[in-house]
Amino acid sequence: MSAETPVQSAGTFTRLRLRFRDWRGTRPFWAGLFTLLGGIPIAYFPYATLKLGHMSLAMATTAGAGSLIIGVLLFTLGLTMWFQSATRVFAGVAAILLALVSLVVSNIGGFLIGFLLALIGGALALSWAPGEPPVEAAGEHDGADAPTGEAAPDATPQDPAAAPQFPAVSFEKGEDGEADGVRAAGGHRVG
């Protein structure tokens, strides 16, 4: 065991945790989690029967189907943010709109719990941007891509005689002293 390979000696839990952290860092994880969790109370409360002592409280309303649809869509948008991070802007806007609609349709947005979670999740999705890949330090690469001082075989030649030649351009001045046109070396007016 060497000091350069400490990850190999790490346990399975540590390896899984590091892999999950890498996966989580490449997508709007928290946005998806909040959106997913926001869909649960919105879909649950219209169908739940709450017991308070000997009294049962049923929240069944005519908007039960709408609440279920909004909850399932928010749950699906949360998963979409995780697994299709390229669609994060669409998913974020849709989550915010569904959260706003849930205020009217689904018992004040799942008693404001689902509304707030979905609203925060949508806002996080809109504000998330993919990060830049980490830049290797100068001493950590193997030298295969390091410059050697020689030109690559497909590089353009540095000989000035071989460089492409462009016609000379002159500016014409009008009677008022302002440049009013350009003539190429052949005498043809360009502008």
Side-chain angles (χ1 to χ4, degrees):
M1 188 179 333
S2 70
E4 294 179 6
T5 57
V7 177
Q8 291 178 355
S9 65
T12 304
F13 177 75
T14 304
R15 281 195 303 267
L16 290 175
R17 184 180 58 82
L18 291 174
R19 284 181 58 200
F20 175 70
R21 188 173 73 182
D22 290 340
W23 177 81
R24 187 185 70 197
T26 60
R27 59 202 74 245
F29 176 77
W30 293 108
L33 183 66
F34 279 116
T35 304
L36 190 138
L37 291 177
I40 293 172
I42 290 174
Y44 174 73
F45 285 136
Y47 293 102
T49 302
L50 304 173
K51 296 277 189 184
L52 299 173
H54 295 290
M55 183 175 60
S56 65
L57 181 64
M59 297 299 298
T61 63
T62 57
S67 299
L68 183 64
I69 290 171
I70 291 172
V72 168
L73 284 174
L74 285 172
F75 194 85
T76 304
L77 287 172
L79 292 176
T80 301
M81 290 176 198
W82 282 353
F83 298 110
Q84 296 290 326
S85 60
T87 61
R88 67 179 170 77
V89 174
F90 166 75
V93 170
I96 290 172
L97 290 176
L98 285 172
L100 291 172
V101 169
S102 75
L103 283 173
V104 178
V105 172
S106 175
N107 297 328
I108 311 172
F111 297 121
L112 294 179
I113 298 168
F115 164 72
L116 290 174
L117 288 172
L119 198 65
I120 291 170
L124 286 174
L126 289 175
S127 66
W128 183 82
E132 296 293 325
V135 178
E136 291 184 13
E140 291 183 18
H141 65 325
D142 59 359
D145 59 349
T148 60
E150 297 178 11
D154 61 343
T156 57
Q158 299 298 325
D159 184 18
Q165 298 295 318
F166 297 103
V169 177
S170 66
F171 292 98
E172 288 184 359
K173 294 199 178 194
E175 291 136 16
D176 58 351
E178 301 257 339
D180 75 340
V182 178
R183 283 198 190 271
H188 300 289
R189 186 176 180 99
V190 177

